[in-house]
Amino acid sequence: EARELAAAAAAAPSLAFMVNNTANFRDKCFDARRLVETGELGGIHHVLCVMYSPLMNLFNDPANTGWVKATGTMLQPDGSGNGFGWGQLSHLLGWVLFVGGLEVEEVTAITHRSEASGADLTDAALIKCKGGCSLSLSGGVYPGNEFGETRTGKHFDIRMFGQKGVLMYGGDDGKPESGRLELRRHDGPSFVSEGFLMENTEKEGYGPESLLNFVAACRGQPYRNGADQQVGLQAVRVLEAMYRSACSGKTEKAL
């Protein structure tokens, strides 16, 4: 389905196809992409990316079938195939793949599943990308409640190691003051942009930047697209291979 959508979008270049990954439409994401695209980081050798979400109640409950039950081509021989990977890591991967301009080739993964729902609660993967870049992925649920009276934020840590230095972005997405975007170079000037703004789930205003850019595209106005059909396709390729690898116990090619 992802390939069909990507092909349909490519066949209609005058139209805009956007995946609603709100983090990819933040200014910090476009800043990070610019630093990579203009060569400030140099060729990327390795990426570390981490995401922990306070969503145990969501993924541990078998009643949340859309989040925990694998169906169709998601379903693996051992019954796995849905959970934290599709529900959360798709957003982290979308950011990393867009900013890094990475294309995945193969995945080696281990997941741990809920005894109650069967969904994966923690995921770990070593990912090989085109050009030899390695990507270390870690994600899972942790204590707290994102939707409780006292909100617990999600934790992110992204580090891209390149020829010229390290690009870093991390923090608590409920606390903008908890992090910043930084390019730390081996020599020469560094780049720092204070503040951590990842996913946009604010209820006030006109909606997240992803929606605002979509509306602008529909109206024929200038817009930025941080999650087009290729970003969506690459994220799906990673996750599909991750679930196959976790089930088979082997390294699996990204199809």
Side-chain angles (χ1 to χ4, degrees):
E1 291 178 350
R3 287 194 179 279
E4 291 175 357
L5 287 170
S14 62
L15 301 180
F17 183 98
M18 299 180 180
V19 180
N20 190 29
N21 283 17
T22 59
N24 281 44
F25 292 83
R26 297 275 206 174
D27 288 340
K28 289 288 197 299
C29 182
F30 290 112
D31 287 342
R33 175 58 188 155
R34 174 180 53 80
L35 291 169
V36 173
E37 198 169 28
T38 58
E40 294 297 312
L41 178 62
I44 299 174
H45 297 156
H46 176 67
V47 179
L48 168 70
C49 54
V50 171
M51 178 182 186
Y52 301 129
S53 304
L55 295 172
M56 185 66 169
N57 291 339
L58 176 64
F59 291 107
N60 197 47
D61 187 347
N64 298 322
T65 55
W67 294 90
V68 305
K69 183 179 179 180
T71 58
T73 56
M74 299 165 65
L75 184 63
Q76 301 300 317
D78 63 355
S80 66
N82 196 13
F84 194 89
W86 289 117
Q88 294 295 289
L89 291 181
S90 53
H91 297 275
L92 173 64
L93 286 166
W95 198 97
V96 169
L97 294 169
F98 170 65
V99 169
L102 302 173
E103 183 176 347
V104 173
E105 292 184 342
E106 59 185 36
V107 180
T108 307
I110 297 175
T111 67
H112 291 276
R113 299 168 61 192
S114 163
E115 294 182 2
S117 69
D120 50 295
L121 299 178
T122 61
D123 304 300
L126 177 61
I127 300 167
K128 180 182 177 183
C129 300
K130 187 176 180 180
C133 174
S134 60
L135 193 157
S136 179
L137 173 70
S138 175
V141 298
Y142 75 174
N145 187 346
E146 183 180 7
F147 305 104
E149 291 184 8
T150 301
R151 180 180 182 269
T152 306
K154 297 178 182 179
H155 171 77
F156 294 86
D157 189 5
I158 301 167
R159 298 171 188 261
M160 293 186 173
F161 297 81
Q163 292 173 319
K164 298 180 181 180
V166 183
L167 180 64
M168 299 176 285
Y169 192 48
D172 181 328
D173 77 341
K175 300 176 180 178
E177 71 279 6
S178 66
R180 63 184 184 177
L181 176 67
E182 179 180 1
L183 171 61
R184 191 176 300 175
R185 295 168 58 103
H186 296 301
D187 53 38
S190 296
F191 172 91
V192 175
S193 178
E194 295 292 344
F196 182 74
L197 295 170
M198 197 69 175
E199 295 181 336
N200 187 343
T201 58
E202 296 296 327
K203 296 180 180 179
E204 293 77 16
Y206 294 104
E209 292 84 349
S210 54
L211 176 61
L212 299 181
N213 278 281
F214 180 73
V215 170
C218 291
R219 298 182 64 189
Q221 298 177 346
Y223 67 91
R224 296 191 293 183
N225 192 349
D228 64 8
Q229 66 272 13
Q230 286 302 318
V231 173
L233 175 59
Q234 290 299 320
V236 169
R237 292 178 69 240
V238 174
L239 291 167
E240 194 273 338
M242 183 192 82
Y243 282 107
R244 280 192 286 115
S245 174
C247 178
S248 70
K250 302 176 182 178
T251 298
E252 297 286 352
K253 297 290 184 182
L255 303 177

